[in-house]
């Protein structure tokens, strides 16, 4: 019992006690004692050596988002940890439970500009849920317990622990029995019942009700409850970018995605609705457009586990602080008898009919591309999504990891999202280009039996594709990458085309031959330049027992429509490029 | 913009001051004054910050997101006792010392040091009274001045303790400001 351990051994044992199985990182001077200890625990703690700490951070995020468990990344002091800053900020924006473990210079030289010293707790203070500097090995057992508790509870988020080298080297007797002492941290899970009844009363009085489901539903594991709730009320459901997967799109009550690149009928429905029930979404400006014009007729019910999100962007009539799952359960428990719902059902049915008419008028999933133009294209991006969509539906369990930009919006719009929570993984709030390839590494490790599709642009791909080597070294075979390669930073180019008189400043982008690059990494690399080659390439990707990259050289200047120009009302969407 | 007085109860851990200041800074608000010290409970400090802002509710809510922040109250419109201390070093040659001494009497200020040509005076009062005192002594030649920043305590039985937050936060709609 009273056996001593080095600080580094305590770190390993603390992680194992918290159920951590895999970590992504890169060693270096200050973190070496941790790697020394890790060797003894390698049967229980798998270490994945990444090629860049940003990759390690995104891989840990991918793992966390695909499982709901904590993702762990490691960097050494100085540049090692500053390279982790981007994934930490990304995890903060998208509420991902992430633990960043950093080596720090010895405590005797702390603050003296020692070799590879950076004040990483200072740097990450505004982009972490919490962070620690540990100088005493006696603190390690407690700090790791508290850090993982904070990262994974309430509104999840990134937590960083910076440990001085000597704290990892010194031996002490660890104390594992310490109780958490967090008087200022008591997340509210159970909703206030009175508010729950208020919310139901408001919903029952609605003529045009809408449910908006966000990331909170997925993180709380509330997809089933959401479905039961929507079906009971017969109220249509819209899903934000991070809400994708919380409600199947094939469901008769599903409407799709709102916001900047949402569907016209969804945004119109928001602008017309009289009661908007937002569960687990934070009314991001990409959803609301100009907030003062958002949902002008709606009384808003906002359910969020983070009280500071309520009333931040949109005025709320019924605020509910709570966990999405517990809140939906409470709503279902408080649900009145069927007769009391009859009036709502009648209104909701008329309302749904109206929305479907709007949809009929504005949609047809590919209608937003000028067809005549499309037919002249060798490879319109939409054809790639069409074929990929069919393959996904037919070929077993899958998860899709997207990057940031046009391809990401097309994936959200054009693929049918019916595979449930945690099957759509993307960087939303921070919109970090370069997220997808390393994140897929984490997703693939978490779900070795699923096919993990990466859909990314040629811009983002060129930021972090070095992790293709990590994927090979780890023997991961279930990752397939589709590069939607248009030779531009496409989303910026689209804005330049639509709002800046086609001044393509800094957006044309060249790259290597991606298929050859893939081959150099011992992947299979394929190139597709015509629509009629798409299917064969996807088939080959599935037939190959190993990682495959397909370079889809799509038509260069295609836009994502519909679109709400920044800071305008979501009621005014652009559905095609103005004639030039 | 309105000036708000916010009182916080925080865990006494390294970096907590930096976290609170950083959160206010992030919104681009200027902290007019900040005072921090131990509270009646061991391990817990009480902080008073004075900040100019039109959207202070949001700042208060976000301060609650900080793990080490236990309770936050905007006491601007509450009945409070507010105090600030100023220490001034005045140019005080023999000829004006009597005048300064009698002035200090009016303000209940204390002379804490007398040099050949200087005096150090300590004065405590409401922020308005402190301002007033400074204006009155300035003409003598204000060589140095230090102010502690405002501290504020709500009058009467209603307290601002760690225990109350725990109760009010459970099931509360938003963190109740008392």
């Amino acid at each position: 019992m009273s056996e001593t351990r080095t600080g580094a051994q305590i770190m390993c044992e603390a992680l194992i006690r918290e159920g951590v199985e895999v970590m992504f990182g890169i060693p270096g001077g200050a973190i070496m004692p941790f790697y020394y200890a890790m060797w003894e625990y390698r049967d229980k703690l798998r270490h994945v050596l990444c090629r860049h700490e940003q990759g390690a951070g995104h891989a840990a995020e991918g793992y966390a988002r695909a499982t709901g468990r904590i993702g762990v990344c490691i960097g050494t002091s100085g540049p090692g940890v500053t390279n982790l800053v981007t994934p930490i900020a990304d995890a903060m924006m998208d509420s991902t439970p992430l633990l960043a473990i950093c080596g720090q210079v010895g405590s005797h030289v702390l603050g003296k500009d020692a070799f590879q010293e950076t004040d990483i707790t200072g740097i990450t203070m505004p982009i972490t849920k919490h962070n620690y500097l540990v100088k005493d090995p006696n603190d390690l057992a407690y700090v790791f317990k508290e850090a993982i508790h904070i990262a994974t509870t309430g509104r999840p988020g990134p937590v960083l622990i910076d440990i001085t080298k000597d704290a990892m080297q010194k031996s002490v007797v660890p104390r594992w029995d310490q109780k958490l002492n967090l008087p200022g941290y008591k997340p509210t899970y159970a909703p206030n019942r009175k508010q729950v009844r208020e919310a139901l009363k408001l919903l029952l009085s609605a003529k045009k009700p809408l449910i908006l489901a966000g990331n909170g539903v997925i993180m709380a594991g509330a997809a089933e409850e959401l479905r039961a709730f929507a079906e009971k009320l017969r109220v249509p459901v819209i899903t934000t970018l991070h809400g994708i997967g919380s409600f199947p799109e094939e469901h008769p009550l599903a409407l799709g995605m709102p916001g900047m690149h949402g569907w016209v009928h969804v945004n119109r429905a928001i602008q017309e609705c009289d009661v908007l029930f937002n569960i687990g979404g934070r009314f991001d400006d990409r959803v609301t457009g100009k907030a003062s014009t958002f949902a002008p007729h709606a009384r808003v019910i906002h359910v969020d586990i983070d009280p500071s999100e309520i009333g931040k962007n949109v005025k709320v009539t019924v605020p509910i602080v709570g966990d999405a799952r517990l809140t939906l359960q409470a709503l279902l428990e408080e649900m009145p008898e069927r007769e009391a719902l009859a009036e709502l059902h009648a209104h909701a049915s008329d309302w749904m009919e109206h929305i479907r008419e709007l949809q009929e008028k504005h949609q047809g999933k590919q209608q937003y591309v000028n067809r005549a133009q499309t037919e002249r294209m060798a490879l319109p991006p939409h054809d790639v999504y069409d074929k990929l969509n069919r393959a996904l539906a037919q070929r077993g369990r899958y998860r899709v990891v997207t990057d940031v930009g046009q391809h990401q919006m097309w994936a959200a719009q054009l693929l049918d999202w019916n595979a449930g929570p945690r099957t759509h993984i993307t960087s939303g709030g921070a919109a970090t280009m370069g997220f997808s390839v390393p994140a897929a590494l984490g997703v693939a490790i978490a779900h070795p039996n699923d096919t993990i599709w990466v859909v990314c642009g040629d811009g983002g791909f060129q930021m972090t594709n070095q992790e293709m080597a990590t994927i090979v070294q780890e023997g991961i075979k279930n990752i397939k990458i589709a590069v939607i390669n248009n030779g531009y930073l496409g989303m910026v180019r689209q804005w330049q085309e639509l709002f800046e008189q086609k001044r393509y400043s800094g957006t044309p982008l060249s790259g290597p031959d991606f298929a050859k690059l893939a081959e150099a990494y011992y992947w299979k690399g394929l190139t597709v330049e015509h629509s009629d080659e798409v299917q064969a390439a996807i088939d080959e990707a599935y037939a190959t027992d190993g990682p495959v990259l397909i370079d889809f050289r799509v038509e260069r200047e295609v836009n994502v429509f519909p679109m709400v120009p920044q800071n305008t009302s979501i009621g005014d969407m652009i559905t095609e490029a103005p004639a030039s | 913009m309105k000036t708000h007085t916010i009182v916080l109860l925080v865990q006494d851990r390294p970096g907590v001051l930096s976290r609170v200041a950083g959160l206010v800074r992030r919104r681009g608000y200027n902290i007019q004054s900040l005072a921090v010290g131990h509270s009646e409970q061991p391990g817990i400090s009480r902080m008073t910050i004075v900040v100019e802002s039109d959207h202070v509710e949001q700042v208060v809510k976000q301060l609650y997101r900080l793990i080490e922040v236990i309770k936050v109250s905007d006491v601007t419109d509450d009945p409070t006792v507010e105090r600030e201390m100023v220490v001034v070093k005045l140019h005080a040659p023999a000829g004006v010392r009597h005048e300064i001494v009698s002035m200090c009497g009016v303000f209940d200020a204390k002379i804490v040091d007398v040099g050949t040509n200087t005096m150090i005076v300590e004065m405590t009062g409401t922020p308005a009274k402190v301002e007033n005192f400074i204006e009155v002594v300035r003409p003598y030649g204000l060589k140095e001045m230090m102010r502690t920043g405002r501290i504020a305590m709500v009058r009467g039985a209603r307290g601002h303790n760690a225990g109350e937050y725990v109760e009010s936060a459970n099931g509360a709609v938003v963190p109740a400001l008392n």
Side-chain angles (χ1 to χ4, degrees), chain A residues 51-125:
Chain A
R51 296 299 180 270
H52 188 290
E53 288 86 354
Q54 186 188 350
H58 290 319
E61 281 192 277
Y63 180 86
R65 292 183 194 192
T67 58
R69 300 165 63 186
I70 187 128
V72 180
C73 56
I74 307 162
T76 194
S77 65
V81 288
T82 57
N83 281 342
L84 283 175
V85 165
T86 297
I88 290 171
D90 191 87
M92 188 69 175
M93 290 295 269
D94 287 344
S95 311
T96 302
L98 182 75
L99 178 66
I101 300 172
C102 318
Q104 181 56 282
V105 299
S107 56
H108 60 292
V109 290
L110 200 60
K112 294 184 181 173
D113 300 325
F115 177 68
Q116 287 196 325
E117 181 184 0
T118 309
D119 173 15
I120 197 64
T121 43
I123 289 172
T124 57
M125 214 169 254

Side-chain angles (χ1 to χ4, degrees), chain A residues 13-89:
Chain A
E13 290 182 19
L15 291 166
I16 292 165
R17 279 165 181 267
E18 296 295 331
V20 173
E21 290 167 1
V22 58
M23 310 181 287
F24 304 86
I26 303 182
I31 194 81
M32 278 184 70
F34 184 40
Y35 276 80
Y36 182 84
M38 213 186 277
W39 188 255
E40 296 157 36
Y41 300 91
R42 62 187 186 280
D43 294 342
K44 286 179 183 156
L45 273 180
R46 175 177 177 186
H47 178 264
V48 176
L49 173 68
C50 292
R51 296 299 180 270
H52 188 290
E53 288 86 354
Q54 186 188 350
H58 290 319
E61 281 192 277
Y63 180 86
R65 292 183 194 192
T67 58
R69 300 165 63 186
I70 187 128
V72 180
C73 56
I74 307 162
T76 194
S77 65
V81 288
T82 57
N83 281 342
L84 283 175
V85 165
T86 297
I88 290 171

Side-chain angles (χ1 to χ4, degrees), chain B residues 103-123:
Chain B
M103 196 68 73
C104 288
V106 175
F107 281 93
D108 251 343
K110 219 162 108 188
I111 294 154
V112 288
D113 181 69
V114 180
T116 46
N117 268 315
T118 59
M119 287 170 105
I120 298 179
V121 181
E122 164 202 318
M123 186 269 178

